[in-house]
Amino acid sequence: MVHLSDHCYHLAELPCVFIIALGRTGSTHLLRLINEIPGYRLSGETDNAWIFMGWFARARLFAGYSQDQTDLEGNNKRRRREVQIDLNQSDVLCHMRQMMMILHNPEPRARVFGFKEIYSPFVRHSQLTGEIFRQGVQFIRILFPRAK
């Protein structure tokens, strides 16, 4: 019997390649070249789904809860506190890894999988640049630590 944590560990250790680029930089050509390698399957663009998955994971992994606390003057106040769940053991991440496999490496599975993405719509909004890296690239690295 395979435990969920064993299965998730196996998914996290899969070799992956992700191409994240601006438009008109040759990323489609690179995608085609990589897909010519036996055992490789990289999907085309996913309309920035990887960033939205990162936002979703953050919302699920950082659960806010309210707690009654008494301040120095004896007044009860509701306080919101963030609690971080262990990223490596999270069911949320396990399910997201499984979803990535369904989307980007369906049966029969390739030895190396991944996707190519153009994030140029976000570049037009400089306030989102940090989000691209925190909730996009960093999230992919958490999901698949062996990714290139």
Side-chain angles (χ1 to χ4, degrees):
M1 179 172 163
V2 176
H3 291 94
L4 184 61
S5 62
D6 294 338
H7 177 66
C8 290
Y9 176 78
H10 169 71
L11 290 176
E13 291 301 307
L14 290 173
C16 318
V17 175
F18 300 104
I19 301 170
I20 301 169
L22 292 172
R24 312 300 308 155
T25 59
S27 59
T28 299
H29 182 65
L30 179 59
L31 171 75
R32 290 178 184 149
L33 289 172
I34 291 174
N35 278 335
E36 289 298 316
I37 301 170
Y40 278 64
R41 178 189 299 141
L42 274 64
S43 303
E45 297 170 30
T46 62
D47 201 20
N48 295 301
W50 58 288
I51 294 173
F52 293 102
M53 286 176 61
W55 286 333
F56 175 78
R58 179 178 63 184
R60 300 294 296 156
L61 293 171
F62 289 91
Y65 69 93
S66 296
Q67 178 181 23
D68 284 328
Q69 290 191 340
T70 305
D71 64 12
L72 295 174
E73 294 145 359
N75 299 317
N76 271 346
K77 294 194 175 196
R78 302 281 290 171
R79 257 183 95 172
R80 184 173 170 86
R81 197 168 99 187
E82 287 191 345
V83 178
Q84 183 174 0
I85 298 170
D86 181 10
L87 293 177
N88 295 325
Q89 301 299 319
S90 168
D91 287 342
V92 172
L93 291 180
C94 181
H95 294 300
M96 295 194 120
R97 285 181 185 119
Q98 291 171 336
M99 185 171 72
M100 290 283 280
M101 292 299 293
I102 291 168
L103 293 173
H104 299 292
N105 199 8
E107 298 287 345
R109 303 245 191 258
R111 184 174 54 84
V112 178
F113 80 100
F115 63 80
K116 169 220 163 191
E117 188 64 73
I118 301 295
Y119 65 89
S120 52
F122 289 103
V123 173
R124 293 185 195 108
H125 304 285
S126 60
Q127 71 274 16
L128 293 177
T129 302
E131 289 291 309
I132 291 168
F133 292 101
R134 275 192 309 278
Q135 302 310 318
V137 175
Q138 183 179 1
F139 174 65
I140 292 296
R141 287 183 175 156
I142 290 170
L143 275 183
F144 300 101
R146 293 188 58 204
K148 304 290 181 207

